[in-house]
Amino acid sequence: MTVFDTRPAPPPLRGAVPALLGYAAVRALGLVVLAVWSAARDKSAHTLLTARWDSLWYVRVADLGYGYEVRLPNGDVHSNLAFFPLLPWLERAVSAVTPLSYADAGLLVSSLASLAAAWGIFAVADHLYGRRAGICAVLLWAVLPVGIVQSMAYTESLFTALAAWALYAVLTGRWITAGALSALAGLTRPVGAAVAAAVWAAAIASYVRERRALAGDGNRPPPFVWDGSTGAPHGTSVVRRALGMLLAPLGAAGYALWVGHRSGGGPLGYLDVQAGWGNGFDGGRAFARFVAGQFTSFPSALAGVGLVAGVVLVVCLYVAGVRQGQPLPLLVYTGVVVVLALCASGYFGSKPRLLMPAFPLLLPLAVALARLRTGRSAALVAAVAAGSALYGAFWLNGSGPP
């Protein structure tokens, strides 16, 4: 299989139409169920999607810029510097040219970005495993239990779109495009570092393979490195690859350094801002204590079992991706996303949402689903979509994503 194929490829939009239509149908179902559920509880679905939790912080950045903070009774400081700027910038730009408020502009950006993310996921899966697997991968991403977040004025859809297309650019040897998209992803969420790491890993792997080819090394390259049919790269430019590597970390690094300068915390000042929110990286110790604490009583023990099962499932899916022979950049990207999500020290209820951009975890399931008969796979997806819609409505009308 040719993974790092730098030959020109047509845009995959025409082949992606069934995937995008299916994705839109799943999201529409989730929104209808949310509207009905919210109305029954005398709540506004629109408010739940645009004006709660992180959405409010992004709107405040778009409206007033940075500098707002809330000091809690225990001394912790919640600063809006914790929120990366790309979504607020887009909210402000859309609001400037339309009658939409910042909140509604954020909802529009997220809606369009979710379609771009679905297209990008299809492009990656189609490139690697074929069109049916691409459609199935998109539908599986749509029916995630917390998939309703894809329709909120949050950054998950925007980040996933940028990450998916950056990975597709890497897989097709478009290094500058990959670096530019990685930089934008780094302006969207802290986990943008995962995209930059994938670009760097792919570039280094391709360089090593290229040196082996030039040296006449007859060893067969790993399946994630290059084209096994020719044993050599298709004229990849060293300059373009270097520029891609240079661009990739600029977004995340640039914003983090700016925050450190503005807050007076130096190069690591952004970590201090995150610490004010109770966030940090402790290798998963806090999360492990949280899970263990669920087993102190019978009702919460069920939640503890669910959390353990969820973590085991994530690990098993990652191992399945390795055995599947997923390309190195996908494995690096997914690994960093998973580690950062599971090993963060705060906001344990957000972990399913934080794992949403790790779409390559779904590829082994997508390939398996694609092997089923169309009627059987459609019925299975429809059933899961209904459950996801119900859970999303229940979740947003309850604890919701912090």
Side-chain angles (χ1 to χ4, degrees):
M1 175 184 296
T2 298
V3 175
F4 283 72
D5 184 0
T6 58
R7 291 168 291 186
L13 178 57
R14 183 171 58 183
V17 169
L20 296 180
L21 290 176
Y23 177 81
V26 172
R27 290 274 42 84
L29 174 64
L31 292 174
V32 169
V33 173
L34 175 65
V36 173
W37 192 300
S38 301
R41 294 176 59 87
D42 198 25
K43 292 185 178 181
S44 167
H46 179 266
T47 299
L48 293 175
L49 293 172
T50 63
R52 293 187 67 184
W53 304 295
D54 290 5
S55 300
L56 292 174
W57 287 88
Y58 286 116
V59 165
R60 190 173 286 115
V61 173
D63 187 19
L64 303 174
Y66 286 103
Y68 177 82
E69 63 184 30
V70 175
R71 188 171 296 275
L72 304 183
N74 65 357
D76 289 343
V77 177
H78 287 185
S79 169
N80 66 357
L81 290 171
F83 296 88
F84 278 50
L86 186 56
L87 179 58
W89 286 347
L90 293 174
E91 289 177 340
R92 183 180 297 176
V94 171
S95 183
V97 298
T98 68
L100 297 177
S101 66
Y102 291 130
D104 288 335
L107 188 62
L108 176 61
V109 169
S110 181
S111 299
L112 295 176
S114 69
L115 290 172
W119 185 13
I121 292 169
F122 171 84
V124 170
D126 174 49
H127 182 74
L128 295 175
Y129 305 113
R131 184 167 176 264
R132 282 180 64 90
I135 295 172
C136 291
V138 170
L139 294 177
L140 288 173
W141 191 66
V143 302
L144 289 174
V146 294
I148 190 65
V149 174
Q150 298 163 16
S151 299
M152 297 179 66
Y154 267 45
T155 57
E156 273 72 18
S157 292
L158 179 60
F159 175 80
T160 304
L162 294 167
W165 283 109
L167 291 172
Y168 180 75
V170 167
L171 295 177
T172 54
R174 294 162 171 82
W175 296 106
I176 295 179
T177 300
L181 291 172
S182 175
L184 290 174
L187 287 171
T188 308
R189 298 183 63 84
V191 76
V195 188
V199 173
W200 273 65
I204 292 171
S206 69
Y207 174 77
V208 171
R209 179 63 185 87
E210 186 174 298
R211 296 300 297 176
R212 287 180 179 176
L214 292 175
D217 190 345
N219 294 331
R220 185 177 181 180
F224 55 73
V225 174
W226 218 271
D227 186 342
S229 64
T230 64
H234 299 288
T236 300
S237 168
V238 174
V239 174
R240 288 180 175 272
R241 184 169 56 208
L243 285 174
M245 295 177 69
L246 178 64
L247 288 170
L250 289 184
Y255 181 70
L257 291 174
W258 178 80
V259 169
H261 173 74
R262 180 182 175 106
S263 64
L268 301 180
Y270 182 77
L271 299 181
D272 296 331
V273 171
Q274 284 284 10
W277 282 82
N279 286 331
F281 185 88
D282 65 354
R285 292 190 298 273
F287 184 46
R289 289 195 297 268
F290 174 78
V291 173
Q294 302 302 305
F295 291 93
T296 57
S297 63
F298 173 71
S300 64
L302 296 177
V305 171
L307 289 170
V308 171
V311 172
V312 171
L313 176 61
V314 168
V315 173
C316 288
L317 288 175
Y318 186 80
V319 172
V322 175
R323 292 178 175 176
Q324 189 182 33
Q326 286 186 15
L328 176 64
L330 266 65
L331 294 176
V332 170
Y333 166 77
T334 306
V336 174
V337 172
V338 169
V339 168
L340 291 179
L342 296 183
C343 296
S345 59
Y347 293 93
F348 306 116
S350 297
K351 294 193 181 297
R353 173 172 67 85
L354 299 178
L355 285 168
M356 185 180 297
F359 68 89
L361 290 174
L362 301 174
L363 294 183
L365 297 178
V367 171
L369 186 63
R371 294 184 180 131
L372 299 179
R373 293 181 178 178
T374 301
R376 182 174 298 179
S377 60
L380 181 60
V381 169
V384 177
S388 174
L390 290 170
Y391 178 77
F394 166 77
W395 188 47
L396 282 196
N397 278 276
S399 61

